């Protein structure tokens, strides 16, 4: 009745932004991501017969408010599926700076769904676990899998899940340039609601990004890093353009973020494989290959000597590290 799981964060190449169903977290468009091999989250779920409610800590601090509700909401759903009413204690440790646009919720909910299924004796397929993780945080549906992952938009709880794609190209790397490790100004949850409710660009976003998911899936199958990189930048900038159209505008990128996009463009002019992406925060992530990663880092070190960079390869799927036998 106790299980521990580890999951890795992911960075979207084709972005998810906006929900068609806020409660079930069904997105307005599909998305594609790369699972990282850095910043794992480790989560233990322990059933406590004497407990009268769930409790959850993240890095030793008791969760409260919305964050706590997201965890207890997922546990309640898992209990219903398992037919067990016992409450649980959740203990989670993150190695990624929380809420800094580096997808800590993705690894967090993928680890929670994996550990909670094992602790409650729920034997689901990875697709089933992905659908559960999705209810905690949309991007977590993708962190259930390793490598390059596609989250199919779907239109219901049943049809909205992630699945792994087969990358047939050169070994990928993601270089994270940490513009800021602070908490983001507007959470992705609130930012998405604000965008969907007020941005006049939403229709164009939904239509065009769904097409990018298909084009990027084809690029992945071909192992075409140039096409995948170009589509990655395109989806990123269209997402930020849609956010900028919200009222009030959502402006996550800073001048330094844009300077990084410029620097990445200059690298390409010099024959370096490099494509920039950014999420709901100012940090810039650069998609490159194992062969070109040292050149990207060398250029960053010269142009932005004050920025901390982290290099990541492709990470594996969420996995159980202990427990699960009841
Ligand atoms: O799953 P959330 O609520 O953390 O939203 C993630 C949104 C982006 O990171 C901006 C894009 C994405 O697809 O991961």
């Amino acid at each position: 009745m106790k299980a521990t799981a580890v999951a890795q964060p992911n960075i979207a190449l084709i972005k998810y932004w906006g929900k068609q169903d806020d409660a079930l977290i069904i997105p307005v468009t599909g998305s594609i991501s790369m699972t990282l091999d850095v910043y794992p989250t480790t989560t233990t779920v322990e059933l406590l017969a004497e407990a009268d409610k769930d409790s959850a800590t993240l890095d030793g601090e008791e969760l409260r408010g919305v964050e706590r509700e997201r965890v207890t909401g997922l546990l309640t759903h898992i209990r219903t599926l398992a037919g067990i009413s016992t409450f649980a204690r959740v203990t989670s440790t993150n190695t990624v700076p929380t809420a800094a646009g580096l997808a800590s919720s993705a690894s967090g909910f993928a680890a929670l769904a994996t550990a909670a299924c094992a602790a409650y004796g729920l034997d689901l397929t990875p697709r089933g676990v992905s659908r559960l993780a999705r209810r905690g945080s949309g991007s977590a549906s993708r962190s259930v899998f390793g490598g390059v992952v596609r989250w199919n938009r779907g239109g219901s709880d049943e049809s909205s899940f992630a699945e792994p794609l087969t990358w047939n190209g050169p070994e990928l790397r993601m270089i994270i340039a940490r513009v800021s490790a602070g908490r983001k100004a507007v959470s992705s949850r609130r930012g998405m609601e604000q965008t969907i409710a007020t941005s006049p660009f939403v229709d164009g976003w939904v239509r065009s990004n769904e097409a990018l998911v298909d084009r990027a899936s084809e690029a992945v199958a071909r192992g075409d890093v140039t096409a995948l990189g170009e589509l990655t930048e395109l989806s990123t900038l269209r997402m930020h353009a849609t956010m900028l159209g919200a009222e009030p505008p959502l402006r996550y990128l800073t001048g330094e973020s844009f300077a990084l996009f410029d620097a990445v463009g200059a690298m390409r002019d010099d024959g370096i494989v490099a494509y920039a992406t950014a999420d709901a925060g100012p940090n810039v992530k650069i998609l490159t290959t194992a062969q070109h990663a040292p050149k990207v880092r060398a250029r960053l070190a010269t142009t932005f000597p004050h920025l901390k960079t982290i290099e990541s390869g492709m990470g594996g799927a969420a996995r159980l590290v202990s427990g699960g036998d009841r």
Side-chain angles (χ1 to χ4, degrees):
M1 299 289 223
K2 178 177 176 179
T4 301
V6 174
Q8 311 287 140
N10 69 77
I11 299 293
L13 307 176
I14 306 301
K15 301 296 181 186
Y16 147 55
W17 194 255
K19 303 178 178 85
Q20 31 170 322
D21 185 318
D22 288 326
L24 290 174
I25 312 198
I26 314 292
V28 291
T29 91
S31 54
I32 293 181
S33 60
M34 168 178 158
T35 302
L36 306 185
D37 66 2
V38 294
Y39 295 143
T41 296
T42 304
T43 299
T44 299
V45 175
E46 184 176 11
L47 273 59
L48 297 176
E50 69 281 10
D52 58 1
K53 58 176 172 27
D54 294 315
S55 62
T57 61
L58 176 59
D59 295 330
E61 274 190 47
E62 200 68 36
L63 287 185
R64 279 171 225 294
V66 184
E67 288 179 333
R68 188 178 174 281
E69 280 165 29
R70 290 166 75 185
V71 171
T72 55
L74 182 56
L75 290 174
T76 303
H77 180 62
I78 290 174
R79 272 192 290 271
T80 308
L81 295 176
I84 296 175
S85 57
T86 314
F87 291 107
R89 173 162 60 211
V90 176
T91 317
S92 195
T93 43
N94 248 344
T95 47
V96 49
T98 300
L102 288 177
S104 57
S105 63
S107 51
F109 280 100
L112 176 64
T114 305
C117 281
Y120 280 100
L122 208 54
D123 191 17
L124 297 183
T125 59
R127 178 179 294 188
V129 178
S130 171
R131 288 172 47 226
L132 286 179
R134 191 204 70 228
R135 290 170 173 254
S137 172
S139 54
S141 66
R142 299 184 309 235
S143 270
V144 169
F145 300 98
V148 179
V149 180
R150 172 177 173 148
W151 175 13
N152 299 301
R153 167 172 65 173
S156 63
D157 176 42
E158 196 65 40
S159 58
S160 189
F161 55 83
E163 58 188 346
L165 298 179
T166 305
W167 169 244
N168 290 315
E171 205 181 313
L172 296 176
R173 291 280 188 274
M174 191 68 80
I175 293 172
I176 300 158
R178 275 206 7 217
V179 173
S180 158
R183 288 184 82 84
K184 44 188 151 174
V186 180
S187 71
S188 54
R189 179 163 295 218
R190 204 148 61 73
M192 286 185 204
E193 284 167 12
Q194 194 171 311
T195 306
I196 297 299
T198 65
S199 177
F201 308 142
V202 168
D203 285 350
W205 161 246
V206 171
R207 213 172 350 96
S208 66
N209 202 58
E210 197 56 17
L212 294 190
V213 171
D214 288 333
R215 284 170 65 190
S217 298
E218 286 162 21
V220 169
R222 287 197 308 276
D224 185 341
V225 72
T226 306
L228 184 63
E230 284 172 356
L231 295 169
T232 294
E233 276 205 5
L234 194 56
S235 178
T236 300
L237 293 173
R238 283 183 179 163
M239 177 181 77
H240 285 279
T242 312
M243 295 164 162
L244 285 168
E247 186 179 345
L250 279 163
R251 188 173 171 284
Y252 288 108
L253 301 178
T254 62
E256 185 149 55
S257 314
F258 281 109
L260 280 155
F261 271 71
D262 286 345
V264 167
M267 290 180 206
R268 281 202 297 276
D269 291 343
D270 294 337
I272 302 172
V273 174
Y275 299 91
T277 182
D279 296 293
N283 297 321
V284 173
K285 297 104 181 189
I286 302 167
L287 178 69
T288 182
T289 60
Q291 191 197 339
H292 287 253
K295 298 179 214 173
V296 173
R297 295 192 80 175
R299 288 282 283 258
L300 288 176
T302 313
T303 323
F304 302 90
H306 58 288
L307 284 190
K308 191 169 155 41
T309 59
I310 297 120
E311 184 174 333
S312 174
M314 207 130 90
R319 61 216 167 266
L320 214 51
V321 291
S322 75
D325 31 84
R326 290 151 35 81

